[in-house]
Amino acid sequence: MTPGAPPAPAALFPSPNPNPYAQQQPQPGPYGAYPPPGQPFGAPPYPMPPAGAPGGNGKRTAVIIGAAVAVLLAAGGGVWALTGGGGSPDRPQGRHSASPAPKESTGGDSGGTAGPRDGGDDPNDGRRAGEAKVLVNQNGPQVERAGSGVPGVWAFGDYVVKTVQEKVIAYSTSDGKEKWTIALPKRVCAAPANVTDDGKVVVAYDSGEKDSCGNYAMLDLKEGKKGWDKPIPKSGGFAESFIGLDMALSGNAVGAAWFGGSGMIRVSDGEPIPAPGLESGCSVDGFAGGKAMLRSWQCVSDSTSHIEKLDTSTGKPEWTYDGRKGLMTKKIYSTEPAVVSLASEDKKSGGVIALKDGKERSVIDLGKESYTPTCGMSIMGHDLGGCQGVAATDSTLYLPTGGENSYTDGNEIHAFDLDTGKRTWASKKTKPELMPIRAEGDKVFAYQRPSYDKAGAVVSIGPDGEPKTVLQAPQATLQAENRFFGAKYLYEGDRLVIATTRLSGSGSEGGDEKLLLVLGKG
């Protein structure tokens, strides 16, 4: 496939409002994260919450957009603002040590455990009127090394499924107990965010070689059984060892990219799907799944990302966006509608753009505001669809504001029209801060982080901008909400799911690190 010629570059202009934090060194952010290395100009650092503050034990990597140099587009007159992203994994800080002494493994040869311990005392005892019910409450298991990744959590039917080292466990939301367990030969090292409509998913697990995520397994979440199990097909790339592998699922297809290669397979049988080939000197940035499958690729010759919507049955492109000269895909906020974040290699220019049928639908006018979707940092930056704190419907994009004092001062959620790129409304400034987790109709649902003395909540916000609580976490879970080393948030079927994405190792000492917390009405 021959890359198409990109449009002429947009003119660069110096920022009218230079970043005042340009000379400051990165500081620990809330929830124990440092800004990712290479963040432009040392973008505004987040303050570390005081000891005991909510979130002080977790991990948060915010991608700050709209805070620095702007690019004025010749076509459309939109304003592009700097977009962060990419980089290396964040460095945990706070109460958890980034490199504690190794712990003795109590599980299989991958350093796992026999299974998670129960969450302890029933947090539903003494539940107050109006508070949600705790459906699942599980502590983290012992791990051999700090920072062990536990990717993958899915809400399916009446249970929630979580990867736990070399196991995948379903917890019933009716009694909080294990419904079934699938054992894998080695630790799960990568998993997509989505499952098929009939409850099937493909995960990757270690092949036995050091840092080699070399095997696929299909799991039937409805039946609680493992299906096919195969080595990951190599794509002929250089130094191909599956390091930094990230996955995306859409329909009956899984796309994966890693250092030196990429490929697509069918969920049903694991057979390869022939994705479009690329010329020598070109490589795949990554995939993003969900309602559609998007693939981004670029060539060394022009450092410009091209984005394709792929047919999940044939692998053929339904449309291709050839990008803007010198701008690369950093994150894909939504696949249908397609909304992407682009930036130059030096991160001095870029922006957020909506696409339709391979053409620019609009450029999101971020103005001088700073927005902070929460994007986990994959090892090689292939996890293009891995952002939280951003939501979209067919017509509207929702982004959370942020900045140096957003933890203490609160924040807003802004709604943007995807046809015009203009902001249509803003929520009332709320503290603790809000994180969008789902959009539906003309409303966005957001997780309101816990305060010092009040548990978190799910709120609904419409065009009037007023947050309305739809699910209030019980006061008894205030501490539990803060005991996640890193967290993935889902809000599906009136259930809030908070699941860890990484284990710090503290579970083997005090047993207080959380693995999974599910809240619902009842």
Side-chain angles (χ1 to χ4, degrees):
M1 178 174 176
T2 303
L12 296 178
F13 291 84
S15 170
N17 182 26
N19 191 328
Y21 303 96
Q23 304 305 318
Q24 295 187 16
Q25 296 299 315
Q27 299 295 319
Y31 322 119
Y34 275 81
Q39 185 134 3
F41 305 102
Y46 282 79
M48 186 70 171
N57 302 328
K59 178 187 73 173
R60 184 187 183 202
T61 304
V63 173
I64 300 176
I65 56 179
V69 180
V71 178
L72 182 63
L73 293 183
V79 174
W80 281 51
L82 174 140
T83 304
S88 61
D90 26 21
R91 295 166 286 176
Q93 303 295 323
R95 182 171 60 84
H96 297 306
S97 170
S99 56
K103 307 294 191 303
E104 181 181 357
S105 170
T106 59
D109 54 5
S110 65
T113 178
R117 297 183 297 277
D118 183 72
D121 296 337
D122 187 352
N124 290 312
D125 292 342
R127 184 162 59 106
R128 304 172 186 175
E131 290 184 338
K133 182 179 181 180
V134 178
L135 305 178
V136 181
N137 178 35
Q138 290 290 331
N139 283 345
Q142 295 180 354
V143 292
E144 185 177 45
R145 59 183 181 180
S148 295
V150 281
V153 61
W154 308 279
F156 185 79
D158 63 349
Y159 47 89
V160 174
V161 183
K162 181 75 187 83
T163 64
V164 189
Q165 296 284 344
E166 72 279 9
K167 297 186 177 183
V168 181
I169 305 175
Y171 297 95
S172 169
T173 56
S174 60
D175 58 16
K177 297 180 180 180
E178 292 185 20
K179 185 179 181 72
W180 50 254
T181 298
I182 299 173
L184 295 170
K186 296 285 183 179
R187 176 187 66 93
V188 175
C189 47
N194 304 98
V195 301
T196 65
D197 291 341
D198 59 351
K200 293 182 176 63
V201 69
V202 176
V203 300
Y205 67 89
D206 287 339
S207 62
E209 300 175 12
K210 184 178 180 181
D211 297 323
S212 182
C213 191
N215 295 280
Y216 280 146
M218 189 272 279
L219 310 178
D220 187 330
L221 306 187
K222 186 176 181 180
E223 300 295 332
K225 297 178 181 179
K226 184 176 75 168
W228 56 262
D229 190 329
K230 301 179 180 181
I232 298 176
K234 291 192 174 183
S235 61
F238 64 94
E240 198 164 64
S241 60
F242 306 111
I243 294 174
L245 184 144
D246 285 298
M247 304 172 68
L249 184 151
S250 179
N252 189 36
V254 167
W258 55 88
F259 177 65
S262 65
M264 289 177 63
I265 61 167
R266 290 195 297 259
V267 176
S268 55
D269 57 13
E271 290 301 305
I273 299 173
L278 301 177
E279 289 185 346
S280 176
C282 303
S283 61
V284 173
D285 300 320
F287 294 82
K291 293 181 179 179
M293 179 71 80
L294 299 188
R295 184 181 80 155
S296 175
W297 55 273
Q298 62 175 288
C299 300
V300 175
S301 59
D302 63 1
S303 298
T304 299
S305 282
H306 308 258
I307 298 172
E308 300 168 318
K309 179 182 178 181
L310 301 180
D311 184 306
T312 56
S313 298
T314 66
K316 295 180 180 179
E318 295 184 11
W319 54 253
T320 301
Y321 170 67
D322 280 322
R324 286 183 174 268
K325 181 71 173 178
L327 296 181
M328 297 171 286
T329 305
K330 291 302 178 183
K331 292 294 178 182
I332 294 178
Y333 292 153
S334 172
T335 59
E336 190 65 54
V339 182
V340 301
S341 169
L342 307 175
S344 59
E345 188 172 5
D346 61 10
K347 299 182 181 178
K348 292 183 179 180
S349 61
V352 177
I353 185 171
L355 304 174
K356 188 172 183 179
D357 298 328
K359 297 179 174 59
E360 294 182 2
R361 179 179 178 183
S362 68
V363 175
I364 306 303
D365 188 353
L366 303 173
K368 297 180 181 180
E369 186 67 75
S370 295
Y371 296 92
T372 54
T374 304
C375 300
M377 309 305 293
S378 60
I379 295 176
M380 297 294 172
H382 298 302
D383 188 17
L384 298 183
C387 289
Q388 298 187 91
V390 58
T393 65
D394 290 340
S395 61
T396 308
L397 172 70
Y398 298 95
L399 288 171
T401 65
E404 183 181 12
N405 299 315
S406 64
Y407 175 77
T408 55
D409 294 348
N411 72 336
E412 301 172 359
I413 293 176
H414 291 179
F416 296 88
D417 186 309
L418 288 177
D419 287 326
T420 66
K422 302 296 184 182
R423 193 179 84 182
T424 56
W425 57 265
S427 73
K428 175 184 176 182
K429 190 169 187 178
T430 303
K431 57 182 180 180
E433 61 186 340
L434 301 170
M435 181 181 74
I437 50 179
R438 192 180 90 198
E440 189 175 283
D442 63 350
K443 296 180 180 179
V444 60
F445 294 92
Y447 176 61
Q448 184 173 14
R449 301 185 186 276
S451 66
Y452 298 102
D453 57 358
K454 186 178 180 180
V458 176
V459 300
S460 171
I461 311 170
D464 63 359
E466 188 68 33
K468 300 175 178 63
T469 300
V470 295
L471 191 73
Q472 175 62 55
Q475 193 65 14
T477 65
L478 173 59
Q479 295 303 316
E481 289 181 82
N482 301 319
R483 289 175 177 166
F484 289 88
F485 188 48
K488 173 75 173 180
Y489 298 86
L490 304 175
Y491 182 62
E492 298 182 13
D494 294 327
R495 295 176 299 187
L496 173 65
V497 178
I498 308 176
T500 192
T501 57
R502 196 167 294 276
L503 292 165
S504 72
S506 68
S508 60
E509 296 173 347
D512 62 348
E513 184 177 13
K514 301 306 294 184
L515 175 77
L516 182 65
L517 182 66
V518 184
L519 308 176
K521 295 181 178 180

